[in-house]
DNA sequence: AATCGTATTATGGCGTACCAGATACTGTAG
DNA sequence: CTACAGTATCTGGTACGCCATAATACGATT
């Protein structure tokens, strides 16, 4: 049997280790608010809730810690990381720089496939907004940026953006619910696509920056309006 | 006792857990080449070498995995991550974008303190080159960028850059050994400082981009010259 | 009654032992 | 000399136990 083909019939295994499953569960639980920022994450409780051993739980906590989703208080143990407004702004800023970079690269490549793929994602976002399916808005937005990065083979930058994005996920879900966002969001994204279509690197860069800047502004408003009420 | 002062007399403790110590050890061992890319990291061997239990070793390996220093082959276990040239280029590119951003912010702030701090680091680099102390070159370079980011309160971006940098550390130690680098490197960095001094945001951005672009080019040359000989 | 010391509890940090499943290695029988 | 079975190796995962520390509750002493 010669190399290239032997993968074709390879039996697909679950392949996910228990640890990875647990990791996803806990991350999701944090991201979608089941665990609130500041909540303590007691190892033995998590063992019970997840139905896995402490070893696995601890590895998961370590992993989330290095993702910035969990903070570890010395002698007190892990808690869900608090997101302060300053940090959130920085994350948006970084995303702007990287997404702008990717957008510029897409524009410079002048490939119709990229434009097509982006427009498909964009259509998905519009549909999700129309259907009021906010969770779908998030995943489609994610896929929009995913294509933006991967079409120009920037998987590392995409990884970084992803890593940062989970930390502000609850902010994201709040910003997209803002009234004007349902109109302005897709509009700004279509400006990115337009610039890419005309091969306007600088324009694409600016449009991408503008989009996250807008998101950042909304997030800041939301966050500063909420913290005092805490 | 009123809040702001109570930290002043706080007694500080060692606070480092065994896990953190082990993490640093292993990371350093990978970064400075004691473990080579592709080497298997057998858990029980590490236990013996580090003198700690498997629990700790496993958590450390998970952590390094999420840092990208260690890769995990399913059912075969962890190995030291291989750095392919494509990934290295992407990392340099991201650093360029972020360091350029930070440099621009520094320039726009027009603060003499920033310039002073940067020049001090730069002097340190020059001295280290003069003394042929390559390890000191690396730490001083690191401190140069550290000030670049932290002086404008961009600690998140600094974290990202740091995370990425460890992955290309052996490349860094090769690029700085290049003949011309000892002259051109500091020269390019002084251009960044100059632009910041004149408050030229765009110039600082470009200078920072140029610097990493040069590093990237050298790294690519080094890497592609070495891989075939492998 | 206020304060101080002590016991208890909760929890993380760490270690050990064990088992199951996958893989790599090896020696032997045909 | 090959095929196959057995074995060693290693990770993935689990269970359990011990110790240190922090917080809290409680009780004693002045």
């Amino acid at each position: 049997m010669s190399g290239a083909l032997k993968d074709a019939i390879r039996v697909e295994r679950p392949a996910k280790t228990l640890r990875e499953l647990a990791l996803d569960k806990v991350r999701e639980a944090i991201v979608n608010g089941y665990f609130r920022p500041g909540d303590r994450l007691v190892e033995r409780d998590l063992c019970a809730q997840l139905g896995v051993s402490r070893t696995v739980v601890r590895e998961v906590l370590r992993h989330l810690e290095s993702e910035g989703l969990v903070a570890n208080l010395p002698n007190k143990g892990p808690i869900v990381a608090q997101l302060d407004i300053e940090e959130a702004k920085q994350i948006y800023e970084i995303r702007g720089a990287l997404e702008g970079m990717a957008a510029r690269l897409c524009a410079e490549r002048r490939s119709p496939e990229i434009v097509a793929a982006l427009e498909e994602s964009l259509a998905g976002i519009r549909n999700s907004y129309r259907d009021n399916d906010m969770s779908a808005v998030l995943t489609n937005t994610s896929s929009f940026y995913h294509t933006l990065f991967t079409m120009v083979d920037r998987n590392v930058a995409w990884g970084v953006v992803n890593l940062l994005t989970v930390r502000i996920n609850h902010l994201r879900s709040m910003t997209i619910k803002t009234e004007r966002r349902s109109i302005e969001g897709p509009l700004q994204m279509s400006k990115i696509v337009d610039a890419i279509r005309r091969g306007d690197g600088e324009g694409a860069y600016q449009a991408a920056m503008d989009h996250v800047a807008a998101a950042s502004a909304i997030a800041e408003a939301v966050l500063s309006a909420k913290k005092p009420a805490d």
Side-chain angles (χ1 to χ4, degrees), chain A:
Chain A
M1 189 174 315
S2 56
L5 276 176
K6 75 164 184 275
D7 283 351
I9 62 158
R10 186 171 206 88
V11 41
E12 192 99 14
R13 256 178 306 189
K16 282 254 189 185
T17 67
L18 197 54
R19 182 175 60 243
E20 291 172 287
L21 296 174
L23 176 62
D24 291 343
K25 283 276 185 207
V26 177
R27 189 193 291 121
E28 206 188 40
I30 293 176
V31 165
N32 67 30
Y34 178 75
F35 293 126
R36 302 305 212 42
D39 279 3
R40 294 191 60 183
L41 298 170
V42 178
E43 292 180 2
R44 288 166 172 93
D45 291 355
L46 283 179
C47 293
Q49 290 184 51
L50 295 170
V52 297
S53 76
R54 248 182 101 198
T55 310
V56 171
V57 167
R58 292 185 55 136
E59 287 173 336
V60 166
L61 289 175
R62 277 341 128 214
H63 197 114
L64 293 172
E65 192 183 341
S66 72
E67 279 183 16
L69 272 182
V70 164
N72 229 324
L73 309 181
N75 291 323
K76 283 199 71 176
I79 63 170
V80 178
Q82 318 258 10
L83 182 69
D84 78 295
I85 188 166
E86 198 43 55
E87 193 180 335
K89 278 162 72 175
Q90 287 186 45
I91 290 177
Y92 277 110
E93 186 181 49
I94 296 170
R95 282 188 48 192
L98 297 184
E99 287 166 8
M101 179 189 85
R104 169 180 281 141
L105 289 167
C106 282
E108 287 167 355
R109 182 153 309 185
R110 300 182 157 278
S111 141
E113 294 150 35
I114 296 180
V115 177
L118 290 174
E119 276 191 330
E120 195 183 319
S121 293
L122 191 48
I125 297 174
R126 288 214 172 87
N127 287 340
S128 308
Y129 264 122
R130 179 170 38 72
D131 303 346
N132 235 340
D133 183 348
M134 288 312 165
S135 147
V137 171
L138 281 185
T139 53
N140 277 315
T141 304
S142 197
S143 109
F144 178 87
Y145 283 112
H146 181 246
T147 58
L148 198 69
F149 280 101
T150 53
M151 287 305 248
V152 288
D153 300 308
R154 256 52 177 196
N155 60 302
V156 178
W158 169 241
V160 171
V161 168
N162 244 347
L163 205 65
L164 295 173
T165 300
V166 293
R167 278 155 77 171
I168 53 169
N169 200 280
H170 37 304
L171 278 184
R172 289 178 74 216
S173 56
M174 300 180 86
T175 60
I176 60 165
K177 277 188 213 128
T178 309
E179 288 306 320
R180 325 179 57 157
R181 195 71 180 151
S182 64
I183 302 139
E184 283 179 11
L187 197 91
Q188 287 162 340
M189 290 168 92
S190 72
K191 277 189 188 158
I192 302 175
V193 179
D194 288 344
I196 291 173
R197 197 197 328 269
R198 8 175 246 282
D200 176 6
E202 196 55 31
Y205 176 79
Q206 274 305 326
M209 292 279 278
D210 289 349
H211 182 227
V212 290
S216 176
I218 297 178
E220 187 176 358
V222 166
L223 209 54
S224 59
K226 209 185 145 211
K227 253 295 151 56
D230 219 27

